[in-house]
Amino acid sequence: MASATFQLWRGGHKDGHLQSYETEVSEGMVVLDAVHDIQATQANDLAVRWNCKAGKCGSCSAEINGKPRLMCMTRLNTLDLTKPVTVEPMRSFPLVRDLVTDVSWNFRVKKEIKQFTPRAPDAPDGTWRMQQTDVDRVQEFRKCIECFLCQDVCHVIRDHQEKDAFVGPRYLAYVAALEMHPLDTVDRTADLKTAHGIGLCNITKCCTHTCPEEIRITDNAIIPLKERVVDRFYDPLQALVRLVRGKKSS
């Protein structure tokens, strides 16, 4: 057994501070194990959110040594234990206490996105027929565990004063899953330009690099959606076609 020092954020936003704890660590431990040991032996009132401890619930998101990560998937042998390991709450969301943040904004945003609306069944048995390639295209986005690490690391969400003007990478990927679904009939392109604020994203790929499920958020979701918006609203040829059609209809 060896020992390591962990600096955990304690308190609220205004009165909070990093507090040092020394605890024993062993081979195979993750950061969440160490936090649990500290909670059990030294800080019984430590607030920390977790559930599955298997990297699938997304509950234990935090900033470890300044980087947004899942505590349950960050092994201690990947960290330099000769220095204190800092564990802080996600900075893009209001702090409740200690390591727990209020992520309810994300769920409010999701309610504003137009829901999946399938076309009528096209088979005699009342079911649908889809090409496997179309199914595979959106399957990647279904791996999201809503840990909100991509939202946390997004500089637009961190820096933009009006958070409701930008839904963030998690929900742009959610919109992509709907828009690219072969059965969906709703057009969300105008919403992407206005209500969802896709133009604020400058594709730094920080969300992609942070995703624990390795979803290619930028390349496979955000960029294709940006292209749809550009084609619809900024392509001069498309504008000319709309103008001609408008004159004909009048």
Side-chain angles (χ1 to χ4, degrees):
M1 299 286 285
S3 64
T5 301
F6 291 81
Q7 293 183 332
L8 308 184
W9 184 267
R10 300 304 311 272
H13 176 68
K14 294 182 179 180
D15 61 344
H17 62 282
L18 285 171
Q19 186 166 332
S20 294
Y21 299 92
E22 188 170 322
T23 187
E24 292 185 341
V25 296
S26 58
E27 185 177 357
M29 287 181 66
V30 295
V31 169
L32 187 58
D33 291 325
V35 170
H36 280 167
D37 284 347
I38 293 169
Q39 185 186 50
T41 61
Q42 303 177 56
N44 300 137
D45 61 342
L46 174 66
V48 56
R49 183 179 287 139
W50 70 284
N51 189 20
C52 73
K53 202 190 170 192
K56 293 302 177 184
C57 73
S59 299
C60 65
S61 298
E63 298 196 9
I64 302 170
N65 288 343
K67 297 181 179 180
R69 306 176 73 172
L70 293 175
M71 287 189 284
C72 71
M73 297 301 289
T74 305
R75 295 198 171 274
L76 296 186
N77 62 10
T78 65
L79 305 174
D80 183 2
L81 298 183
T82 64
K83 301 176 181 178
V85 177
T86 62
V87 185
E88 301 171 88
M90 291 189 289
R91 300 181 188 182
S92 292
F93 307 110
L95 179 60
V96 177
R97 183 168 66 87
D98 298 341
L99 302 179
V100 177
T101 53
D102 179 5
V103 296
S104 59
W105 171 81
N106 294 280
F107 305 115
R108 292 197 300 272
V109 166
K110 190 173 186 178
K111 291 181 180 179
E112 301 301 318
I113 298 172
K114 293 175 181 175
Q115 297 181 3
F116 174 68
T117 305
R119 56 179 166 78
D122 52 10
D125 60 356
T127 59
W128 294 269
R129 297 292 184 268
M130 295 180 289
Q131 296 295 322
Q132 186 62 45
T133 54
D134 293 331
V135 175
D136 294 339
R137 189 181 187 190
V138 298
Q139 193 65 28
E140 175 187 16
F141 307 128
R142 297 178 65 86
K143 296 192 300 180
C144 176
I145 60 176
E146 293 201 327
C147 60
F148 303 128
L149 292 178
C150 63
Q151 301 283 77
D152 180 49
V153 79
C154 176
H155 66 275
V156 179
I157 294 178
R158 288 199 178 199
D159 300 337
H160 207 278
Q161 296 300 314
E162 297 294 333
K163 287 196 184 307
D164 289 344
F166 181 63
V167 297
R170 187 284 170 263
Y171 291 110
L172 290 178
Y174 176 67
V175 172
L178 297 172
E179 283 288 289
M180 299 176 188
H181 198 291
L183 301 182
D184 187 69
T185 60
V186 176
D187 184 356
R188 302 172 185 82
T189 308
D191 290 344
L192 285 167
K193 179 176 180 291
T194 55
H196 304 335
I198 195 171
L200 293 172
C201 173
N202 56 8
I203 57 176
T204 59
K205 294 192 177 184
C206 52
C207 53
T208 299
H209 298 321
T210 305
C211 180
E213 289 293 323
E214 299 183 345
I215 301 171
R216 299 180 65 189
I217 302 171
T218 309
D219 292 339
N220 293 348
I222 296 178
I223 290 177
L225 292 181
K226 276 180 169 287
E227 290 173 346
R228 293 189 182 203
V229 171
V230 169
D231 288 344
R232 173 74 62 82
F233 296 102
Y234 302 106
D235 186 341
L237 182 58
Q238 292 284 347
L240 179 61
V241 170
R242 289 195 296 271
L243 179 62
V244 171
R245 287 178 176 174
K247 288 183 178 181
K248 286 184 178 181
S249 61
S250 60

